[in-house]
Amino acid sequence: MEAHFNFFNMKVDILLGLQWGDEGKGKIVDALTPEYDLIARFQGGPNAGHTIEFNNKRYILHLIPSGIFHDEKLNLIGNGVVLDPAVFRDEINNLGIPVEEIKKRLLISNRAHLILPGHRFLDAVYESSKGDAKIGSTLRGIGPAYTDKAGRIGLRAGDIMRSDFETMYKKIMDIHLKIAEIYHHNYSISSFEKGWFEGIELLRNFKLINSEYFVNKLLKENKTILAEGAQGTMLDIDFGSYPFVTSSNTISAGAFTGLGIPPSKAGEIFGIFKAYCTRVGSGPFPTELHDDTGDFLRKRGAEYGSTTGRPRRCGWLDLPALKYAIMINGVTRLFIMKSDVLSGLQTIKVCTSYKVNGVETEEVPLWYQGEIVPVYSEFAGWENNLSEIHDYNNLPENLKHYIEFIENQTGVPVTLISLGPNRNQTIFRR
Ligand code: GDP
Ligand code: IMO
Ligand code: MG
């Protein structure tokens, strides 16, 4: 693939979602992998579902970085990720790549925290205790695993090599059992434990490394790194719509703590967003559509969760939220996804500001401060089938107008336009 960007700068480029996740990160990381030496996940865990399509096959990755399908490339599960050995085992076994080959391509940080069987169970316990205020968690144990990390009782990938690993495991499992008792749940872990310990055995055969040394060494050697975000900015623990968020920093800052690289090594920040918005799970979504257009977007965009299969909530593009995400992340280039899904709509709306308790603002408010009513601008749609277009100049004029409006509003160039799920349905633009 021709080099489209200035990749050779000893910096770490970061690709992340600017909305509520599922923007199409997996597809683009896979498409950009030929340009990099290492693809590194820096946060989140198996709550992520990153879809990649090529050669008429579709793969969904949860823990493994999206560069795995390219030989001669390295992938890293970084220290900021929470790793469930059971999910890891299933994913390795279903990739369609021989395990010996995966071992050559995949590295794992010793410092990545493990999701334990008790974490998955506690996720369900906490969620059911929330009554009407459920987060809509993927129930993969993410929140409880990060809780134990911050509480300094977690287990890390490197611990599996210790002779007292099982004792450490039992100690923390006892704590999980006690918490479950408080919530009056009968704790049956045996169903979770079998696959988990099989995953631990498999993990022992992989390269567990002090990855902070490794990534900094690569940078010194002039190698290129792409950090792959999971979730999206509006799900960030600090800046998302708290408490309806995930438990990690999904923003660009998370890449530095999640990989052990200094902020001075930041290169391009690729911000990826859909031409509309979706959200899975609960929480505020000002531009959500509860009508036929919402159903149209869901059907046309196949908007069903990659991890849980849940229908995604759909709505118009939310510019105040997009600008907020661009600001927090320092986005240098925008990648717009799924404009093909909008084909056939007569009118397309974009939220340009909110009315909060009757007062117009472009700032994302602390959610629930009051009623948020979106203020919309309208655009004429396009009829064309976009799936075979490979040149920006051949896009319908109305779509170009839509993209250029977003550029003008955000002040950031849109340099990639994705028009279908396949690797090849991607237009690069300088
Ligand atoms: P991720 O979590 O950000 O990697 O995104 P997901 O894989 O969860 O969801 C994105 C979905 O949209 C997947 O089913 C992709 O195959 C699909 N997709 C990605 N880009 C495009 C696009 O430009 N057009 C269409 N129609 N589908 C796309
Ligand atoms: P990718 O990487 C979309 C959502 C869940 C829930 C909230 C908290 O595929 O974009 P958690 O399991 O973390 O406790 O869930 O965050 N969520 C995602 N939504 N895409 C994701 O990942 C998500 N990961 C978590 O639906 O609302
Ligand atoms: Mg996803």
Side-chain angles (χ1 to χ4, degrees):
M1 186 188 282
E2 176 199 347
H4 298 283
F5 307 115
N6 176 24
F7 290 103
F8 306 104
N9 55 7
M10 293 190 297
K11 302 266 182 178
V12 177
D13 292 338
I14 304 170
L15 181 144
L16 37 75
L18 299 180
Q19 296 165 320
W20 285 274
D22 302 328
E23 296 89 350
K25 299 175 289 292
K27 167 186 160 161
I28 300 303
V29 169
D30 168 70
L32 293 181
T33 296
E35 315 272 5
Y36 291 91
D37 297 302
L38 175 77
I39 307 298
R41 276 276 308 268
F42 58 88
Q43 47 70 232
N47 47 351
H50 294 181
T51 313
I52 297 171
E53 281 191 35
F54 57 91
N55 297 344
N56 297 320
K57 285 215 176 101
R58 188 164 189 259
Y59 303 89
I60 301 179
L61 300 172
H62 301 288
L63 271 171
I64 295 175
S66 299
I68 199 71
F69 294 106
H70 299 256
D71 53 11
E72 308 294 320
K73 299 291 175 180
L74 286 174
N75 292 266
L76 169 69
I77 298 178
N79 58 278
V81 172
V82 282
L83 190 162
D84 185 333
V87 177
F88 179 78
R89 180 204 57 170
D90 291 346
E91 212 165 318
I92 296 287
N93 290 338
N94 293 316
L95 265 189
I97 306 172
V99 178
E100 287 310 313
E101 181 57 31
I102 304 175
K103 279 189 205 161
K104 288 186 207 151
R105 298 183 198 175
L106 183 64
L107 309 165
I108 298 156
S109 166
N110 271 324
R111 294 172 190 271
H113 275 249
L114 297 178
I115 297 179
L116 274 54
H119 291 141
R120 288 191 72 148
F121 184 85
L122 286 178
D123 220 356
V125 169
Y126 292 141
E127 188 78 333
S128 68
S129 75
K130 288 194 166 86
D132 288 343
K134 288 193 181 22
I135 291 167
S137 167
T138 61
L139 302 179
R140 296 298 187 268
I142 306 294
Y146 278 118
T147 301
D148 282 351
K149 175 180 178 179
R152 295 157 294 176
I153 56 169
L155 293 183
R156 299 185 290 178
D159 292 331
I160 67 173
M161 299 305 190
R162 290 175 56 145
S163 56
D164 60 348
F165 175 66
E166 290 222 3
T167 314
M168 293 171 84
Y169 168 81
K170 287 211 171 80
K171 216 165 157 184
I172 183 160
M173 193 47 76
D174 279 346
I175 297 172
H176 294 159
L177 286 165
K178 287 198 179 102
I179 299 172
E181 254 175 55
I182 296 171
Y183 283 90
H184 306 294
H185 274 265
N186 295 325
Y187 202 146
S188 162
I189 49 166
S190 48
S191 57
F192 291 108
E193 273 186 330
K194 189 172 173 288
W196 193 83
F197 277 108
E198 284 169 10
I200 294 287
E201 279 314 309
L202 182 65
L203 264 177
R204 288 197 170 113
N205 295 308
F206 273 76
K207 285 186 198 128
L208 296 168
I209 61 164
N210 293 331
S211 56
E212 58 281 13
Y213 282 107
F214 182 73
V215 289
N216 282 290
K217 183 169 157 280
L218 284 190
L219 290 174
K220 268 201 189 131
E221 292 169 355
N222 244 352
K223 297 280 185 354
T224 52
I225 301 179
L226 179 64
E228 172 182 5
Q231 292 80 55
T233 302
M234 302 313 282
L235 290 171
D236 180 84
I237 181 88
D238 281 281
F239 298 104
S241 46
Y242 192 90
F244 301 100
V245 293
T246 191
S247 299
S248 66
N249 279 120
T250 61
I251 58 172
S252 52
F256 307 116
T257 56
L259 292 174
I261 45 171
S264 56
K265 295 288 183 192
E268 299 274 4
I269 315 278
F270 303 132
I272 178 164
F273 69 104
K274 283 179 191 171
Y276 50 96
C277 282
T278 63
R279 176 167 201 164
V280 232
S282 335
F285 183 1
T287 60
E288 183 170 11
L289 291 165
H290 297 282
D291 57 9
D292 289 350
T293 311
D295 292 342
F296 172 89
L297 294 175
R298 187 172 308 107
K299 222 179 222 171
R300 175 69 80 78
E303 296 296 0
Y304 295 88
S306 313
T307 297
T308 56
R310 291 176 292 174
R312 294 177 184 148
R313 300 154 67 191
C314 296
W316 297 119
L317 183 64
D318 182 335
L319 265 185
L322 190 69
K323 287 179 183 172
Y324 181 71
I326 289 169
M327 173 182 79
I328 302 274
N329 290 303
V331 171
T332 57
R333 291 169 191 269
L334 285 170
F335 294 173
I336 188 170
M337 310 298 289
K338 300 188 98 162
S339 305
D340 55 299
V341 174
L342 298 179
S343 289
L345 288 173
Q346 226 167 23
T347 307
I348 293 162
K349 292 190 190 179
V350 174
C351 166
T352 48
S353 62
Y354 308 125
K355 272 198 172 157
V356 183
N357 297 327
V359 179
E360 194 160 341
T361 176
E362 277 195 53
E363 279 196 14
V364 171
L366 190 63
W367 306 98
Y368 290 137
Q369 251 172 1
E371 196 191 355
I372 303 169
V373 181
V375 177
Y376 287 112
S377 288
E378 292 196 357
F379 294 80
W382 52 88
E383 287 295 332
N384 320 46
N385 173 359
L386 310 178
S387 59
E388 298 299 323
I389 300 182
H390 296 288
D391 182 340
Y392 184 79
N393 296 318
N394 297 337
L395 289 179
E397 285 307 312
N398 287 347
L399 173 54
K400 283 195 266 188
H401 179 216
Y402 187 69
I403 291 171
E404 284 155 26
F405 173 78
I406 294 167
E407 287 184 317
N408 285 335
Q409 285 282 314
T410 58
V412 182
V414 175
T415 59
L416 184 154
I417 298 113
S418 170
L419 299 172
N422 197 281
R423 246 184 208 171
N424 305 322
Q425 293 169 306
T426 312
I427 296 178
F428 294 91
R429 176 177 171 240
R430 278 177 202 279

